[in-house]
Amino acid sequence: MKLARDRAEVLALQALAFIASDEDLLPRFLALTGMDVDGLRTAAGETGTLIAVMDFVMFDDALVGRFAEFASLEPDVAGQIRFALAGPEVDPI
């Protein structure tokens, strides 16, 4: 199944909500991206930020499963989200 870009953006924002709702994940995400909370709020809708969100989720299979459960999705959708955002020229992690 190929995701439309607008659907992928919505799902990536759900992934960001998933990260932000976890007191352990949010600080880790911020540290890895070099953003602070205000910067994240400002950049939340930008493609690069959404790709970083999906990279963060996809780095850990357990995290992919937790996000899928959070968003009521199949785990393989995480890769589809990232591909729809980044396109074929950027390989997923």
Side-chain angles (χ1 to χ4, degrees):
M1 173 176 107
K2 184 176 177 185
L3 285 178
R5 183 174 178 85
D6 58 339
R7 177 75 175 137
E9 289 173 354
V10 168
L11 293 173
L13 286 169
Q14 279 188 291
L16 178 56
F18 163 70
I19 292 167
S21 70
D22 187 294
E23 65 184 34
D24 295 324
L25 293 179
L26 182 59
R28 196 166 106 207
F29 178 77
L30 293 174
L32 288 171
T33 61
M35 285 192 249
D36 60 18
V37 173
D38 290 333
L40 180 57
R41 280 190 193 109
T42 301
E46 295 177 10
T47 300
T49 302
L50 297 177
I51 292 170
V53 165
M54 295 315 301
D55 284 346
F56 179 80
V57 169
M58 292 176 61
F59 189 73
D60 181 341
D61 287 341
L63 201 52
V64 170
R66 288 176 49 206
F67 163 62
E69 186 176 326
F70 175 87
S72 299
L73 300 168
E74 293 297 318
D76 67 331
V77 174
Q80 295 173 32
I81 296 166
R82 191 189 188 287
F83 184 83
L85 294 171
E89 67 279 357
V90 179
D91 293 329
I93 292 178

